[in-house]
Amino acid sequence: MPGPLNGTAPGTTADDLPRSWREALPGTSRRGFLAAVGAGSLAALLAACAPGDTKTGSSKPTGPAKRGGTLRVGTPPPPTSVDPVTAYDGSAVALIQLVADYLVWLDKDFGLQPRLATKWKSDKDAKKWTFTLREGVTFSDGAPLDAETVKASFDRLLDPKNKSAALSAFGDILAEGGVTAPDSSTVVFTLKRPYVDFPYLVSAGNYNTVILKKRYKGDFTKPHSAIGTGPFVLTSYDASKGASFVRNKRYWNKGKPYLDGVEVTFYRDEQADVAALQSGDIDTQFLSKAQLVKPLSGSGDVVVDEVKSTNLTLFTLRTDQAPFDKKEVRQAVAYALDRSALRKGIGSDIGQLGNDHLFAPAYPTAPEDIPQRAQDKKKVKDLLKKAGVKHLRFTLTFDEPGKDYAVAVQSQLKESGITVDLDQQPSGKFYGGDQKKDTPWLFAAATLVGYAGRPVPSQLVAPLVTSDAIWNGAKYSNPKVDKAAKAYDATKDEKERAAQARIIAEALHEDVPVIVSYWGGAVRAYNSTRFTGIEAHPSQFVDFSGVSKA
């Protein structure tokens, strides 16, 4: 499943490319924390030079849509191959989403919206799921969409030799051979265990699950291979410059898209990307960063749409080795943090406080009465004394996107007498190595890893804190959590789900294998004078089918 900040599992393969742009999806704010550093200063300077009233909000059309125009978009160049099967960075995913579509889309509230599937249902055990396909859908080359094509797409993702970034999402839920096509318009998924939230695993929330042609062989950036059922068609791609798209005349949603096309420019320097938006050279961005664009809101024609999200930077502590094998030590670290300062400084003041469990306030089943953990220096001292630790010192390992967060943690813990040594590693090294025994992001004593917003807590709990979890960097094991996680996944009763959520949340809050300081938000900046219909998405997903000229 999509894992870290850019929305996929880090280290999916040992030869993954460096994730120099990992904070892209959904873009948790970090760099603006140091007021005098880099792009944050640039954004502040630009805003200061262009006074005006603050403008925030989405650009929903206020009248009939106007057809025509080419939307100009800025984004970092994809650090990975733009292949729907394996891609995991934000730029690549956005490019793919212009061309290819999903069975189910996620709206800006993480609601399930029919796309290539019009309806779905499960058996009473939530173990067999039946999806009905939309009639009359064709690919951009005129080939019809049918159930066998959808089956082929999922068979491709479930085949380990293809090294799909979606495979970890399916985990012990869906395996090879679990997808059938009883007729041309019906696809059936037979799961290994009950899973009430399964529609999210075949939605944009598991973003590699776009539907491709049966004989797709890769080379998505070549126009003859980039064939999808989405609103646009790729006409050119240059890895160093950008990409061009035109309207898909065979798009299933009749009348859309309104745009003639989309022109994407790659900016290796995020300051240049922001400056291009400010100057009007581009109209919007795939991956706006709050700390860079919020100061521009109201400067000239720039508007910033903002949404709540469930993205987070996870502070993970190894529970199976000293010094974090003692619960009191982990709790002491948690009480040493000033969460409000982290949310404001690193999170650009758009998120919500975290409480060291994986149920964000946005989740309906999140317990509301677990006491909020706050900075308490006396308690830190008492807990360390109880653990028999005279002076706590440890190394915090992270890659470049986590730098500002790490510096802030180091500073805050120092106030409580805790020494933190910072170990910043190149992304390739941080996520490289053997994923089962020595990759730093899963085996270092303490780490910072960014995770994309998840629409449901199941997509965080199962892969992060269950005993055999694929991303269990804390090496945490609690039978009570394991049992409650499976029960949560299997029940449709909301009261029962809330009860299981409480069991999990209380255990994590007490045991502190992971620290959640705050849950982030997401933004998208755009030029309000040229186009309407541009919105932020909690996972920075891209849907420009409804964008039209202002």
Side-chain angles (χ1 to χ4, degrees):
M1 165 88 213
L5 190 58
N6 62 0
T8 110
T12 299
T13 62
D15 56 352
D16 280 348
L17 295 176
R19 298 188 176 194
S20 57
W21 294 101
R22 278 188 50 262
E23 69 250 74
L25 185 59
T28 305
S29 308
R30 294 190 182 100
R31 299 173 188 243
F33 179 71
L34 301 178
V37 175
S41 298
L42 171 73
L45 178 61
L46 291 173
C49 293
D53 295 332
T54 298
K55 294 190 286 184
T56 60
S58 66
S59 60
K60 294 182 179 179
T62 56
K66 298 179 182 179
R67 302 188 68 84
T70 297
L71 184 71
R72 301 166 302 167
V73 186
T75 195
T80 64
S81 174
V82 184
D83 181 347
V85 176
T86 60
Y88 54 69
D89 71 276
S91 293
V93 170
L95 293 166
I96 292 164
Q97 289 176 340
L98 292 176
V99 173
D101 213 340
Y102 301 85
L103 294 179
V104 185
W105 183 251
L106 295 178
D107 63 24
K108 64 188 303 179
D109 296 316
F110 279 143
L112 295 167
Q113 299 296 325
R115 281 288 177 91
L116 300 182
T118 57
K119 59 183 179 180
W120 47 90
K121 62 180 181 179
S122 74
D123 62 3
K124 62 182 180 63
D125 297 321
K127 196 172 179 180
K128 179 176 287 188
W129 288 83
T130 302
F131 285 70
T132 301
L133 301 183
R134 186 179 299 276
E135 294 182 0
V137 177
T138 64
F139 286 88
S140 58
D141 65 351
L145 174 74
D146 60 17
E148 286 292 342
T149 303
V150 174
K151 177 182 180 302
S153 284
F154 283 96
D155 287 345
R156 186 184 299 115
L157 297 176
L158 292 166
D159 186 344
K161 74 172 185 286
N162 292 324
K163 299 181 180 180
S164 170
L167 191 59
S168 59
F170 294 123
D172 66 342
I173 301 166
L174 179 66
E176 281 188 284
V179 187
T180 57
D183 59 55
S184 62
S185 61
T186 306
V187 182
V188 177
F189 298 87
T190 302
L191 311 186
K192 297 176 67 176
R193 64 179 175 90
Y195 197 81
V196 171
D197 291 324
F198 180 72
Y200 290 97
L201 295 188
V202 296
S203 76
N206 189 7
Y207 55 75
N208 298 96
T209 60
V210 291
I211 305 305
L212 305 172
K213 295 192 69 174
K214 287 183 185 179
R215 297 184 179 180
Y216 173 73
K217 299 297 183 182
D219 297 328
F220 192 80
T221 53
K222 294 182 179 179
H224 71 275
S225 294
I227 298 171
T229 60
F232 298 96
V233 177
L234 177 70
T235 57
S236 67
Y237 182 86
D238 185 317
S240 63
K241 295 180 180 179
S244 298
F245 302 81
V246 297
R247 179 192 296 124
N248 178 6
K249 296 179 180 179
R250 294 188 171 97
Y251 186 43
W252 60 266
N253 195 350
K254 302 304 180 185
K256 290 185 177 182
Y258 304 122
L259 296 169
D260 290 331
V262 178
E263 191 73 26
V264 179
T265 300
F266 296 153
Y267 292 93
R268 294 189 177 277
D269 186 338
E270 60 188 10
Q271 298 184 9
D273 196 353
V274 173
L277 177 68
Q278 177 75 0
S279 68
D281 289 341
I282 59 174
D283 305 308
T284 189
Q285 301 170 309
F286 282 152
L287 309 170
S288 296
K289 297 180 182 178
Q291 75 278 15
L292 302 184
V293 299
K294 282 192 71 175
L296 303 183
S297 185
S299 61
D301 301 318
V302 175
V303 172
V304 180
D305 188 31
E306 179 180 315
V307 292
K308 291 181 180 179
S309 182
T310 58
N311 62 66
L312 73 158
T313 296
L314 202 64
F315 187 174
T316 301
L317 306 174
R318 283 280 299 265
T319 63
D320 63 336
Q321 63 183 33
F324 301 121
D325 54 343
K326 294 183 178 180
K327 178 176 65 176
E328 292 81 8
V329 176
R330 303 193 298 270
Q331 291 176 342
V333 174
Y335 277 110
L337 294 174
D338 184 341
R339 295 156 195 266
S340 294
L342 288 171
R343 181 179 65 85
K344 292 178 181 178
I346 312 300
S348 295
D349 206 17
I350 64 172
Q352 297 170 286
L353 290 184
N355 202 20
D356 303 334
H357 59 72
L358 296 173
F359 289 84
Y363 295 140
T365 53
E368 296 180 351
D369 56 352
I370 297 177
Q372 174 63 53
R373 187 164 277 148
Q375 188 178 49
D376 187 334
K377 297 176 183 178
K378 181 180 183 302
K379 196 156 193 171
V380 172
K381 184 178 180 180
D382 292 342
L383 284 165
L384 291 178
K385 182 178 180 180
K386 184 178 180 180
V389 177
K390 293 183 178 180
H391 177 67
L392 177 59
R393 181 170 190 164
F394 67 92
T395 298
L396 180 60
T397 305
F398 55 95
D399 67 340
E400 190 275 336
K403 180 179 179 180
D404 289 349
Y405 199 113
V407 171
V409 167
Q410 182 187 49
S411 177
Q412 290 187 359
L413 267 60
K414 184 178 180 180
E415 296 176 8
S416 293
I418 300 173
T419 301
V420 180
D421 300 312
L422 301 184
D423 175 22
Q424 179 177 327
Q425 300 186 358
S427 294
K429 180 180 178 182
F430 186 60
Y431 291 104
D434 189 321
Q435 301 300 303
K436 294 183 179 181
K437 63 181 182 181
D438 62 13
T439 183
W441 82 278
L442 287 177
F443 289 91
T447 61
L448 294 177
V449 178
Y451 286 83
R454 298 310 200 274
V456 290
S458 295
Q459 292 176 295
L460 287 173
V461 173
L464 287 171
V465 293
T466 53
S467 297
D468 57 353
I470 189 171
W471 302 332
N472 188 348
K475 310 310 173 197
Y476 177 65
S477 181
N478 185 330
K480 184 165 61 174
V481 170
D482 295 345
K483 181 179 179 181
K486 280 188 166 55
Y488 183 94
D489 290 345
T491 182
K492 299 177 183 179
D493 184 274
E494 288 304 315
K495 289 186 178 179
E496 179 61 19
R497 296 200 106 193
Q500 300 301 332
R502 171 172 293 281
I503 292 172
I504 297 167
E506 288 181 342
L508 295 179
H509 184 268
E510 173 69 16
D511 294 343
V512 202
V514 294
I515 294 174
V516 182
S517 296
Y518 68 90
W519 299 87
V523 300
R524 179 162 284 135
Y526 61 93
N527 185 313
S528 62
T529 66
R530 288 180 51 80
F531 294 97
T532 65
I534 299 172
E535 295 184 330
H537 189 280
S539 286
Q540 290 287 40
F541 294 151
V542 172
D543 179 7
F544 290 157
S545 64
V547 173
S548 71
K549 292 194 295 185

Short mmCIF file of all heavy atoms in Angstrom, two decimals, residues 119 231 301 339 352 428 483:
data_model
loop_
_atom_site.label_atom_id
_atom_site.label_comp_id
_atom_site.label_asym_id
_atom_site.label_seq_id
_atom_site.Cartn_x
_atom_site.Cartn_y
_atom_site.Cartn_z
N LYS A 119 -20.97 0.53 -8.71
CA LYS A 119 -21.45 0.07 -7.42
C LYS A 119 -20.63 -1.14 -6.98
O LYS A 119 -19.96 -1.79 -7.79
CB LYS A 119 -22.93 -0.28 -7.47
CG LYS A 119 -23.29 -1.36 -8.46
CD LYS A 119 -24.81 -1.59 -8.49
CE LYS A 119 -25.20 -2.65 -9.50
NZ LYS A 119 -26.66 -2.88 -9.54
N PRO A 231 -9.16 11.47 -18.19
CA PRO A 231 -9.59 12.64 -18.95
C PRO A 231 -8.61 13.16 -19.98
O PRO A 231 -9.00 13.92 -20.87
CB PRO A 231 -9.85 13.69 -17.87
CG PRO A 231 -8.98 13.28 -16.73
CD PRO A 231 -8.95 11.77 -16.76
N ASP A 301 -2.54 37.27 -7.68
CA ASP A 301 -3.69 36.44 -8.05
C ASP A 301 -3.64 35.04 -7.45
O ASP A 301 -4.44 34.18 -7.81
CB ASP A 301 -3.74 36.31 -9.58
CG ASP A 301 -3.85 37.67 -10.26
OD1 ASP A 301 -4.63 38.51 -9.76
OD2 ASP A 301 -3.16 37.89 -11.27
N ARG A 339 4.00 19.63 21.17
CA ARG A 339 3.28 19.29 19.94
C ARG A 339 2.71 20.51 19.23
O ARG A 339 2.70 20.57 17.99
CB ARG A 339 2.17 18.28 20.26
CG ARG A 339 2.74 16.96 20.76
CD ARG A 339 1.74 16.18 21.63
NE ARG A 339 2.47 15.14 22.34
CZ ARG A 339 2.60 13.89 21.90
NH1 ARG A 339 2.02 13.52 20.78
NH2 ARG A 339 3.30 13.02 22.59
N GLN A 352 -3.77 18.94 12.96
CA GLN A 352 -4.39 18.74 14.26
C GLN A 352 -3.42 17.97 15.15
O GLN A 352 -2.62 17.18 14.67
CB GLN A 352 -5.70 17.94 14.10
CG GLN A 352 -6.75 18.66 13.27
CD GLN A 352 -7.93 17.75 12.94
OE1 GLN A 352 -7.81 16.86 12.10
NE2 GLN A 352 -9.06 17.97 13.58
N GLY A 428 18.24 7.21 -0.65
CA GLY A 428 18.54 5.89 -1.17
C GLY A 428 19.10 4.96 -0.12
O GLY A 428 18.79 3.77 -0.09
N LYS A 483 -5.29 -8.63 17.93
CA LYS A 483 -6.65 -9.15 17.95
C LYS A 483 -7.66 -8.05 17.62
O LYS A 483 -8.59 -8.25 16.82
CB LYS A 483 -6.94 -9.75 19.32
CG LYS A 483 -8.33 -10.34 19.45
CD LYS A 483 -8.53 -10.94 20.85
CE LYS A 483 -9.95 -11.52 20.99
NZ LYS A 483 -10.16 -12.09 22.35
#
